[in-house]
Amino acid sequence: MKPWRILLVIIALGAVIGAGVAAWFITASRPLAFAGHGVDLAAYHGPSPTGAPADFASADPIARGQYLAQAADCAACHTAKGGAPYAGGTAFHLPFGTLWGPNITADKATGIGGWTDAQFIRAVRQGIDDQGQRLYPAMPYAAFSQMTDADVLAIKAYLFSLPPVAHETPPDTLKFPFNQRWLMAIWGAMFNPDKRFEPRPERSPEWNRGAYLAEAMAHCGDCHTPRTLAQSLDNRRKFAGAVAAGWMAYNITPHRLSGVGAWSDAELAQYLSAGHADGRGAANGPMGEAVDLSLSHLTPSDIKALVAYVRSVPATSSGNLPPPKLDPAPALPKQGVADGFDPRGKRIFEGACASCHAWTGIGSLNPYATLTGVRAVNDSTATNVAAIVLAGAQRRTPTGTSLMPGFGHILSDAEVAAVANYVTARFGAKGSSITAKQVADLRKGAS
Ligand code: HEC
Ligand code: HEC
Ligand code: HEC
């Protein structure tokens, strides 16, 4: 073959492989691919899966907008801890700089008070701001692009009904080349088809409502679905577990061992709406926030729809997660007798934890403090156990508040690692070996 022909063949092969890789990334990003083809919303004859639920039929438009803003959890990223609602300031620490959730109150100077409906829709669904600048996909516009015009505008009406708050959020500190916002146009073209939700007529109305809530609104996949190298969601492993703000967002597919296949519908519903399921554990960290700000405001019928939908995704094994151990740990061995666990971790547990968690791991005073059977305790990275020790936990219960203090300011990184490894070894299925360095990283992420 002549050299130029060989070159052509190589170029052609390169193009085919390149197109293949691009196609792989793009098809991997379709969130409802597992459910077959959908139809246009206008062509769907069932009850509408969009909007606020029927309970809100006679409510005013602002209340409906509030319900939708909560379902989409806009507050999670646009309200700083202790700050005014939606006035911005939530920090996203990325490996290459920090990004802030901006002020989305109706303040004209520092918020979005001057934005038109069209500009707002474009930002929420396409990730383009009023100046035509691209937004980073830390703002989940690839999920929100499935929302209807009516729902996006109901959210805007709600935001604009709140008092405008003058609050400037800091400019991002991303370094070159990550500060090149225009690159997000390519990302958007590949991973955000900007198409409205398409119901699946062969599925139940409840499933379709749950799919709309989970995919267009609550963006469960943004935390629970692993990402591709291009940071798009890898929906071939939909809901199979990923890292979210340093925490492990576990496998929530119906896989019996790795996922939540062994949970009953009632347990899932209780976890999503109340942030705790007896014998399964509590929602802490980013999931605790999602429950407090968003999911706990959903009506029982919407929670039921979410459960029906989560149940329907393909069961995927995570491989690295053992089934949680359910038996209580043995009672405390005699004083001075080694129990085979790390002595430093044991000493800290005795002084700082046993009063609430008991030596058996079955909370004696408070059933919420039960450690056995909890996924975090049976995860051999011990990430969430360490994160909970650092940050503490707080949850509303039917009778008050269940509270665990944070130990971040009392315990060193090495001590947090020791007690976390003690907890997983004593109460979990497999034990862990989290290091002081990993705890230090968690601390940084949480600040
Ligand atoms: C997971 C976090 C997250 C959630 C949830 C989220 N946002 Fe954002 N949003 C961001 C971040 C981060 C930015 C800034 C991105 C950037 O600077 O590129 C942003 C930017 C915006 C902007 C552009 C503001 C400006 O001044 O440029 C608007 C408008 C907006 N979000 C509205 C919403 C609405 C409405 C919701 C709920 C439906 C929502 N966001 C939910 C993280 C989030
Ligand atoms: C902001 C990130 C985030 C979002 C959004 C999110 N989750 Fe989570 N989720 C997590 C994290 C982190 C955990 C682990 C919490 C812990 O260990 O306390 C978790 C835990 C869970 C669990 C318990 C799993 C187990 O084995 O213990 C379920 C069930 C769950 N999430 C379902 C959902 C559903 C359904 C949605 C959407 C409606 C959702 N999550 C949205 C981050 C998130
Ligand atoms: C004052 C009582 C108290 C103390 C002291 C305490 N905890 Fe907790 N802990 C709780 C409560 C209550 C919960 C459940 C919180 C919730 O419902 O969100 C909890 C939750 C946890 C969880 C998560 C359980 C789940 O369901 O996801 C872990 C892990 C944990 N604690 C470990 C520790 C460790 C390790 C220490 C000592 C360094 C400690 N706790 C000290 C009361 C306490």
Side-chain angles (χ1 to χ4, degrees):
M1 220 189 284
K2 291 207 176 80
W4 65 269
R5 280 193 182 251
I6 295 175
L7 193 65
L8 266 187
V9 168
I10 291 174
I11 291 172
L13 267 178
V16 168
I17 292 170
V21 170
W24 188 90
F25 273 135
I26 291 169
T27 52
S29 68
R30 295 205 337 268
L32 284 171
F34 76 93
H37 287 290
V39 296
D40 272 359
L41 265 168
Y44 178 65
H45 299 303
S48 171
T50 72
D55 318 51
F56 281 72
S58 56
D60 66 89
I62 302 297
R64 287 205 295 272
Q66 177 178 23
Y67 187 90
L68 296 169
Q70 285 169 336
D73 207 358
C74 311
C77 307
H78 290 284
T79 304
K81 267 205 185 76
Y86 304 105
T90 315
F92 291 80
H93 301 290
L94 309 173
F96 37 83
T98 300
L99 193 65
W100 280 270
N103 182 344
I104 55 167
T105 70
D107 185 57
K108 282 219 160 61
T110 61
I112 59 167
W115 290 35
T116 63
D117 286 357
Q119 284 171 329
F120 185 79
I121 289 186
R122 195 168 70 149
V124 172
R125 292 204 302 225
Q126 295 176 39
I128 303 174
D129 76 6
D130 59 331
Q131 311 291 317
Q133 284 230 59
R134 292 288 170 160
L135 302 172
Y136 292 98
M139 157 83 185
Y141 46 83
F144 296 155
S145 65
Q146 298 169 81
M147 260 193 241
T148 61
D149 289 6
D151 286 357
V152 180
L153 292 178
I155 291 174
K156 176 167 183 270
Y158 165 66
L159 291 173
F160 277 56
S161 76
L162 299 172
V165 180
H167 176 244
E168 195 81 61
T169 37
D172 69 77
T173 63
L174 303 191
K175 297 187 196 74
F176 184 82
F178 302 103
N179 59 359
Q180 299 300 299
R181 287 184 172 269
W182 60 270
L183 286 172
M184 296 307 125
I186 302 173
W187 192 91
M190 284 183 76
F191 304 122
N192 181 14
D194 188 23
K195 273 176 78 177
R196 267 19 91 214
F197 175 74
E198 291 182 338
R200 302 319 197 242
E202 70 282 7
R203 304 264 184 169
S204 69
E206 186 177 60
W207 183 94
N208 278 296
R209 173 65 177 167
Y212 186 72
L213 285 168
E215 300 299 341
M217 294 272 169
H219 57 276
C220 318
D222 262 67
C223 294
H224 286 281
T225 299
R227 287 178 190 269
T228 66
L229 272 180
Q231 294 303 304
S232 63
L233 299 184
D234 182 359
N235 281 304
R236 291 197 173 85
R237 294 180 53 72
K238 190 180 180 64
F239 292 173
V243 177
W247 291 67
M248 304 297 291
Y250 294 114
N251 183 325
I252 56 166
T253 73
H255 196 273
R256 278 194 79 76
L257 298 184
S258 307
V260 292
W263 296 36
S264 68
D265 283 359
E267 285 170 338
L268 266 177
Q270 193 196 1
Y271 187 94
L272 294 177
S273 58
H276 180 269
D278 299 334
R280 303 286 183 192
N284 293 295
M287 188 66 196
E289 262 173 39
V291 169
D292 289 342
L293 297 172
S294 170
L295 303 173
S296 62
H297 297 282
L298 298 187
T299 60
S301 67
D302 273 355
I303 290 286
K304 230 175 125 245
L306 266 180
V307 170
Y309 174 70
V310 170
R311 284 267 187 251
S312 77
V313 309
T316 305
S317 164
S318 302
N320 55 349
L321 290 176
K325 184 173 122 183
L326 295 174
D327 326 320
L332 182 64
K334 275 204 217 72
Q335 211 57 36
V337 178
D339 57 2
F341 301 116
D342 173 54
R344 177 149 70 153
K346 180 179 176 186
R347 207 166 357 93
I348 300 165
F349 189 82
E350 180 162 29
C353 326
S355 55
C356 295
H357 290 293
W359 286 98
T360 53
I362 308 282
S364 44
L365 300 176
N366 179 348
Y368 277 52
T370 292
L371 295 176
T372 53
V374 170
R375 172 55 79 194
V377 174
N378 289 276
D379 163 11
S380 49
T381 69
T383 308
N384 291 9
V385 175
I388 291 161
V389 172
L390 287 174
Q394 185 168 358
R395 182 124 304 292
R396 276 193 302 276
T397 71
T399 53
T401 314
S402 136
L403 190 80
M404 162 164 162
F407 292 86
H409 55 294
I410 302 174
L411 299 178
S412 70
D413 295 340
E415 286 170 329
V416 171
V419 76
N421 289 331
Y422 181 79
V423 163
T424 55
R426 188 173 169 86
F427 306 109
K430 215 168 157 186
S432 62
S433 51
I434 191 170
T435 63
K437 165 85 177 53
Q438 287 167 316
V439 174
D441 288 345
L442 267 179
R443 232 189 247 275
K444 263 187 251 143
S447 66

